[in-house]
Amino acid sequence: MGKVVLKFGGTSVGDVAKIKATAEQAIREKEKGHEVVVVVSAMGKSTDHLVNLAEQINPKAPSREMDMLLSTGEQVTIALLAMAIEHEGHAAISYTGWQAGLVTEEIHGNARIQNILTTNVGKALDEGKIVVVAGFQGLSENGEITTLGRGGSDTTAVALAAALGAEKCSICTDVVGVYTSDPRYISEARKLAEIDYDEMLELANLGAGVLHPRAVEYAKNFNIPLEVRGAHVVEVGTMIKEGNLLETKQVVRGVAFDDKIARIRVSFKSVDKMNVACIFTKLAEEHVNVDIIVQSIGEEAGPSAVSFSLKEADLEEALRVLEQNKAAIGYHDLVTESGLAKVSIVGSGMVSNPGVAAQMFTVLRNAGISVRMISTSEIKVSVVVPEVKMLEAAEVCHQTFDV
Ligand code: ADP
Ligand code: ASP
Ligand code: MG
């Protein structure tokens, strides 16, 4: 039998009993004959707690120091889990991200994995040990500690599974699988037996926090069978895999939503003054991510303008960049709107079903929900709506498409 990678999220290692239960599961996999790597998150809400401490000390803390701080959370869990496994009479060793060979780019707070040097992990597995690895962290080539973005332990797990040639990667969490929408908020959400990589990637990117988007990207690129299941239950989870699913008749596979979104509208006196490329180049240079972009060329309808959505947290920085480059961009006026959210429907079946977007806009209109922005791809339709209407919009979509 081959290698397996199991990943346990914060809630699932949130106290001593859960760490012991995690140890037992790792041992069970080992006793089945697998070589076992366990990736863990920081216990419970400890990452949030660390963020909160930093905010009280310096709300604009250098991102390098944030990584230094946040990477400590996972280090607590790996040591405790390795001790728990040893206590049960099995050999284990814990590794930080850098000991496990995770080399990342040097972008603090959101680094991408560049390479994984599996020497230590491979050697420990050869020696019959259960290897426990800290999720969410790595080291840049210059020796700087980095983190992979909130929720990034999923990506550590899948990337390790790819680097080790594991036969499966299981993401063990506080829900029993991937649902048609977030079961915490959408009462009719139901568990999916399976979902394809592309749909899962869209859902994750569009706010379904059950998986870190880059974990899905990795799984797709390396064709790693990825399972999401309940951490300490026997129930079968959801398989994320390549196409050809059983439930193909479903046009919409899931509904995702994401809050804390803002919109900026940059208007110009005339089309010739409009330097759209400059707006987005300058924002990109400062690592400000933008999402939906809508351009309107003014004729009788009004002035020319570009509107785009972004995370509320990035609004201040975006405004700073725009104001600093006002002359080069050539804009006349700026308007911002906060308190927005994005609601999206996702499904591979949409490609061959025209009218899905129209149906979505109709039900939202009938529900009195005003749509501020729209974005579509072959397998998704997203709308930006007022944040106070986010859950209502998601419920209505979920019901309409009988997800
Ligand atoms: P972990 O700490 O194990 O990484 P997360 O909180 O990151 O767990 O992810 C699990 C949570 O994702 C669930 O508690 C659930 O509220 C949320 N979630 C959002 N969308 C979905 C979905 N489509 N299916 C399942 N869970 C979802
Ligand atoms: N502990 C980190 C977080 O809370 C990483 C993770 O849990 O995946 O975001
Ligand atoms: Mg998570």
Side-chain angles (χ1 to χ4, degrees):
M1 271 199 228
K3 301 181 179 91
V4 291
V5 177
L6 310 174
K7 179 260 170 179
F8 290 81
T11 313
S12 313
V13 289
D15 58 30
V16 167
K18 285 185 175 158
I19 288 183
K20 287 183 176 171
T22 302
E24 278 162 23
Q25 280 201 48
I27 291 167
R28 233 172 287 142
E29 285 299 320
K30 173 87 180 137
E31 285 176 341
K32 282 187 206 160
H34 289 121
E35 293 178 69
V36 182
V37 176
V38 191
V39 174
V40 284
S41 294
M43 289 173 71
K45 298 255 171 252
S46 58
T47 308
D48 290 339
H49 175 64
L50 293 170
V51 170
N52 183 269
L53 280 179
E55 273 166 3
Q56 290 179 55
I57 287 179
N58 180 353
K60 291 199 172 15
S63 52
R64 177 190 186 276
E65 303 311 331
M66 284 305 290
D67 278 357
M68 190 62 88
L69 178 69
L70 298 192
S71 62
T72 62
E74 272 65 16
Q75 213 168 319
V76 172
T77 326
I78 54 169
L80 292 174
L81 180 57
M83 290 174 201
I85 296 169
E86 289 278 342
H87 189 256
E88 294 302 311
H90 285 259
I93 185 161
S94 66
Y95 287 131
T96 59
W98 38 102
Q99 289 175 316
L102 269 98
V103 182
T104 74
E105 52 182 21
E106 200 172 301
I107 294 185
H108 289 292
N110 199 20
R112 281 183 167 263
I113 298 170
Q114 286 180 324
N115 192 10
I116 302 189
L117 311 164
T118 55
T119 327
N120 283 346
V121 174
K123 184 164 169 284
L125 288 175
D126 287 345
E127 289 166 2
K129 292 177 180 153
I130 295 176
V131 178
V132 183
V133 178
F136 174 60
Q137 53 175 251
L139 199 68
S140 74
E141 277 182 349
N142 292 328
E144 287 293 313
I145 292 177
T146 55
T147 60
L148 311 184
R150 295 301 306 266
S153 297
D154 297 339
T155 298
T156 305
V158 183
L160 265 174
L164 292 166
E167 61 188 43
K168 188 161 105 176
C169 180
S170 298
I171 305 290
C172 310
T173 182
D174 59 3
V175 279
V176 292
V178 176
Y179 281 64
T180 50
S181 194
D182 189 337
R184 227 184 295 174
Y185 301 100
I186 304 298
S187 49
E188 287 173 6
R190 63 179 177 87
K191 189 177 84 179
L192 292 162
E194 49 186 16
I195 180 167
D196 76 31
Y197 290 127
D198 290 329
E199 290 173 324
M200 190 64 238
L201 189 55
E202 285 282 13
L203 283 174
N205 271 320
L206 294 167
V210 64
L211 279 175
H212 195 234
R214 293 215 301 277
V216 188
E217 231 172 74
Y218 252 104
K220 177 178 157 69
N221 290 345
F222 293 90
N223 209 11
I224 307 284
L226 183 62
E227 175 192 36
V228 173
R229 63 174 173 84
H232 303 300
V233 294
V234 278
E235 192 174 331
V236 179
T238 302
M239 281 311 299
I240 297 135
K241 54 183 213 178
E242 192 62 66
N244 297 327
L245 305 184
L246 297 172
E247 299 178 78
T248 42
K249 64 181 190 326
Q250 210 71 40
V251 176
V252 175
R253 181 88 51 197
V255 179
F257 44 88
D258 202 5
D259 60 2
K260 298 195 177 68
I261 288 179
R263 185 173 71 95
I264 300 183
R265 183 171 190 275
V266 187
S267 52
F268 299 80
K269 281 207 162 130
S270 72
V271 182
D272 341 319
K273 295 228 163 66
M274 204 169 186
N275 193 343
V276 177
C278 186
I279 299 181
F280 298 105
T281 306
K282 294 294 175 194
L283 290 170
E285 278 169 7
E286 300 292 330
H287 303 291
V288 177
N289 281 325
V290 306
D291 185 18
I292 302 175
I293 302 174
V294 180
Q295 181 181 14
S296 52
I297 301 293
E299 278 158 284
E300 288 97 56
S304 301
V306 175
S307 300
F308 57 92
S309 66
L310 72 173
K311 286 269 167 208
E312 245 170 34
D314 292 334
L315 182 58
E316 201 184 311
E317 177 67 355
L319 290 175
R320 184 191 66 75
V321 174
L322 293 176
E323 267 151 33
Q324 227 168 44
N325 296 284
K326 185 167 183 182
I329 297 169
Y331 69 87
H332 162 64
D333 198 14
L334 256 183
V335 184
T336 65
E337 185 183 12
S338 304
L340 298 172
K342 186 165 69 171
V343 176
S344 310
I345 54 173
V346 172
S348 305
M350 275 183 210
V351 183
S352 48
N353 277 278
V356 177
Q359 205 180 343
M360 182 183 190
F361 305 148
T362 305
V363 292
L364 292 174
R365 187 183 158 80
N366 291 344
I369 299 171
S370 87
V371 172
R372 302 286 211 278
M373 297 179 101
I374 297 168
S375 148
T376 64
S377 80
E378 283 190 327
I379 65 163
K380 69 124 199 221
V381 183
S382 295
V383 292
V384 173
V385 298
E387 198 174 71
V388 287
K389 295 283 185 182
M390 177 180 80
L391 292 180
E392 192 186 335
E395 285 274 9
V396 163
C397 291
H398 200 275
Q399 275 162 17
T400 303
F401 293 102
D402 194 20
V403 184

